[in-house]
Amino acid sequence: MLIAADKFKGSLTAVEVAEHVTAGLRRVVPGLDVAAVPVADGGDGTVAAALAAGFTRHEARVTGPTGAPVTATFALRVGASPAVAGGGTAVLEMAEASGLQHLPAGVFAPLTATTYGTGELLRAALDAGATSIVFGVGGSATTDGGAGMLAALGARFLDADGEPVAPGGGPLRDLATADLSGLDPRLAKTDIVLAGDVDNPLTGPKGAPAVYGPQKGASEQDVATLDAALAHYAEVLGRAVGPKAAEAALAPGAGAAGGIGYGALVGLDAVFRPGIDVMLDVLGFAPALAKATFVITGEGSLDTQTLHGKAPAGVAAAARAAGLDVVAVCGRLQLPQEALGAAGIRRAYALTDLEPDPARCMAEAGPLLERAAEQLARDFLV
């Protein structure tokens, strides 16, 4: 049995999900051979999944989205880089430095939140020996197009008076010149993969401000301001780096995490890949799958978003390609059976089927998950 599930957000980490499922299975089938590969799709929980896979924990004190210092964690495995012999692979979440969780409760900063700390976190990974970086993008408090991140790595963004523009996406409307020549030279020798599950462009009706700005406290006017500011930012970057700036603004993933995807594509020569595909590679899923005869995946909510690049869909696709049966566990199920089947999942076991009260379901997720796993074992293993 291979358990490759994501976290149940707000209740259980991916590691805890695997532990509880294992306990439930073994109550029905004592001594059952179970392996676990906790997974993530590039969003929150990505660093935790890497740590569970044997990466080493590192911390860095960086600038939070509002300018206050925060402690951010990244994961590193030395000798795991395909780019440089002896180099290391780092797994980072931009939200660790620039995420919504670092804002005061109920207080947003849609125009001024900065990704500067994410740039500092990337620099810390380089300092630790990373030559390959998996850069998880999601959960951001920011809409600055990655300008703060690039500034922390040595880029200069100046207004008409030759002064640095203020932090955040709004002040980019005052940008007059951009200079990327001072970027940390180590970046040119570093493979950076953007791991995400959104394909939005930088601006426009499907761009970062319009689609994700309201989640970060942006009013209708703020969205218009940010969209215009990011379009201007891309225009100025075009004068600095040439046509690739305009091309990157339209590329899938440019709008990820408030446009930090765009900054990474233009300034860091990053490559965008679906987060679950990247993480399955990094976490060693293929070797584990090769030894498996049955796969259990899952996440807190199996819904329409699951089908668009989330961890269970990626796990199910890989397992189905290997000819293996896949079932899922989840907190709540919001997909019909035909949608599950199309995704390669034979059946899903939801905690809400055992406890309809959502509050109790989250508070008692561990014991409920063990009960669900017991039923799974009775249905498929005995």
Side-chain angles (χ1 to χ4, degrees):
M1 298 290 291
L2 174 61
I3 303 171
D6 202 345
K7 66 190 175 301
F8 283 24
K9 191 169 184 177
S11 298
L12 301 170
T13 66
V15 172
E16 290 169 337
V17 169
E19 290 172 346
H20 286 293
V21 170
T22 299
L25 294 174
R26 286 179 173 161
R27 282 202 197 101
V28 177
V29 186
L32 181 67
D33 186 7
V34 180
V37 178
V39 296
D41 55 22
D44 57 325
T46 295
V47 169
L51 294 175
F55 283 60
T56 302
R57 179 187 183 93
H58 290 254
E59 291 185 348
R61 197 71 170 157
V62 301
T63 304
T66 62
V70 301
T71 299
T73 300
F74 67 94
L76 180 71
R77 176 179 281 167
V78 176
S81 171
V84 178
T89 292
V91 176
L92 282 70
E93 294 175 34
M94 72 85 59
E96 278 284 314
S98 310
L100 286 166
Q101 73 266 29
H102 294 307
L103 296 177
V107 177
F108 295 97
L111 298 177
T112 58
T114 177
T115 56
Y116 194 90
T118 296
E120 293 175 313
L121 188 61
L122 285 165
R123 196 168 66 230
L126 295 174
D127 291 342
T131 52
S132 180
I133 295 175
V134 175
F135 187 22
V137 288
S140 73
T142 58
T143 312
D144 74 350
M149 171 189 71
L150 294 176
L153 290 166
R156 300 175 72 223
F157 299 102
L158 307 177
D159 62 20
D161 296 325
E163 297 296 322
V165 295
L172 290 174
R173 60 179 174 248
D174 300 323
L175 182 64
T177 60
D179 179 5
L180 304 189
S181 64
L183 283 171
D184 192 316
R186 293 175 295 179
L187 293 167
K189 301 177 183 178
T190 305
D191 289 336
I192 299 179
V193 178
L194 280 175
D197 60 3
V198 304
D199 57 4
N200 306 75
L202 180 63
T203 58
K206 296 183 179 179
V211 176
Y212 301 108
Q215 301 172 8
K216 305 170 189 182
S219 66
E220 188 173 336
Q221 180 57 51
D222 291 337
V223 168
T225 296
L226 289 165
D227 199 70
L230 289 182
H232 176 65
Y233 168 59
E235 180 183 337
V236 174
L237 274 176
R239 296 200 292 268
V241 303
K244 78 171 184 178
E247 295 167 2
L250 300 174
I260 201 170
Y262 174 72
L265 292 171
V266 172
L268 309 182
D269 288 327
V271 175
F272 181 78
R273 287 182 61 197
I276 183 57
D277 292 350
V278 178
M279 291 307 298
L280 290 182
D281 287 347
V282 169
L283 299 174
F285 177 73
L289 185 65
K291 300 175 183 177
T293 57
F294 193 92
V295 178
I296 300 172
T297 188
E299 65 179 345
S301 178
L302 284 180
D303 53 34
T304 55
Q305 288 299 311
T306 301
L307 306 179
H308 298 282
K310 293 294 187 181
V315 169
R320 180 169 55 178
L324 299 182
D325 281 334
V326 183
V327 298
V329 291
C330 59
R332 63 179 180 178
L333 175 62
Q334 296 185 310
L335 289 173
Q337 182 57 45
E338 55 266 29
L340 286 173
I345 299 173
R346 285 189 57 183
R347 184 170 172 181
Y349 294 80
L351 304 192
T352 50
D353 290 340
L354 301 173
E355 173 50 71
D357 179 5
R360 288 190 63 185
C361 200
M362 292 188 70
E364 301 172 14
L368 289 170
L369 186 55
E370 292 182 22
R371 286 174 56 193
E374 289 176 31
Q375 186 60 52
L376 186 164
R378 286 191 288 268
D379 291 342
F380 286 94
L381 303 181
V382 296

